[in-house]
Each structure stands twice: as C-alpha cells, then as structure tokens.
Amino acid sequence: MSDTIETGLIRISDDVVATIAGLATLETPGITAMSGGISEGFAKRLSGKNVQKGITVEVGQVEAIVHLRVIVQYGSKIQEVCRELQYNVREAIENMTGLRVVEVNVKVEGVSFREEEVEEPQKLLK
C-alpha cells in the first residue's frame, strides 16, 4: 500500500501484512498451525519468519489478497472455523493498515489429532 500525503509517502510491506495475517490466524479458535510445506518451512526457519509460514499476500496500492494454508483441530467444524478465520484476518489487516482486503483464501491442508498435554497443578507441586 502506498498513500501520498502532504508530508510524504507511506508504504506497507508485504511482510508486515503477512505477519498481521499470521498472528490473526493463530489467534483463531480451531486453527492449530500454519502449513508451509517442506521447502517453505525450511526457508522460514532459516530466515526467522515462522509467523509468516503458510501465508502468501498480494499487496497493491489500496487492496490486498491473502492466501492461507492451515491445519485445523480435529472435531472442529471446518466451514465455521474457516469463515471465522477469514473474518479475523480481514478485520486485523483492514484495521491496522487501512488496506481493503478483497480476498482471504483458505486451504485446509491437514487435521491435528493431538491435544496439548496440560499438567495438573497437583503434579507440579510434587
């Protein structure tokens, strides 16, 4: 995005938009992880951009398109989770950047069967 104002030009990087989308994605209930594939996952580990794994953005002057690849928690209603995800990502990007998000495309690439093990407080005291 670029915006000409009397004081100068404002540009928002694709990486910034991708980071916002990644954080909004991971905060969405029912989404357990992003899916980046083997080569992309390796590249993201090397560059330190794990929040952007599984995200591709196309940022224009005033609009953005977001493509997400996600892993959904087993037992979740996939359609509902993905609709909420689209809404959350759109709202986060539009509120923070002023860009108009014209598409949020979601590809579900897997289902997570594992549950995070939470230790009981009594076990921690022993």
Side-chain angles (χ1 to χ4, degrees):
M1 172 190 164
S2 60
D3 191 10
T4 305
I5 302 178
E6 292 178 14
T7 58
L9 186 66
I10 299 171
R11 291 201 173 133
I12 299 174
S13 162
D14 291 7
D15 286 345
V16 170
V17 174
T19 299
I20 294 167
L23 293 171
T25 298
L26 295 174
E27 291 175 353
T28 302
I31 301 294
T32 59
M34 303 296 296
S35 174
I38 294 171
S39 62
E40 183 177 316
F42 182 69
K44 297 296 183 189
R45 277 194 299 274
L46 291 178
S47 68
K49 296 182 179 177
N50 288 325
V51 173
Q52 298 174 9
K53 182 175 102 172
I55 301 171
T56 315
V57 296
E58 301 170 36
V59 180
Q61 295 294 320
V62 294
E63 296 179 335
I65 297 172
V66 180
H67 305 277
L68 304 169
R69 294 188 315 273
V70 299
I71 309 294
V72 177
Q73 178 67 42
Y74 177 77
S76 299
K77 294 183 180 181
I78 293 174
Q79 289 291 347
E80 290 177 15
V81 169
C82 290
R83 291 284 177 225
E84 185 174 350
L85 172 60
Q86 289 173 317
Y87 176 80
N88 291 347
V89 169
R90 176 176 279 112
E91 286 296 305
I93 292 171
E94 289 181 350
N95 289 336
M96 291 186 71
T97 67
L99 290 167
R100 186 169 72 89
V101 178
V102 293
E103 291 180 26
V104 178
N105 301 307
V106 179
K107 181 177 182 184
V108 177
E109 291 194 340
V111 176
S112 175
F113 294 101
R114 64 186 171 129
E115 293 184 22
E116 294 180 11
E117 294 181 16
V118 179
E119 291 187 43
E120 295 177 21
Q122 295 172 346
K123 290 182 182 178
L124 295 174
L125 296 174
K126 293 182 180 181

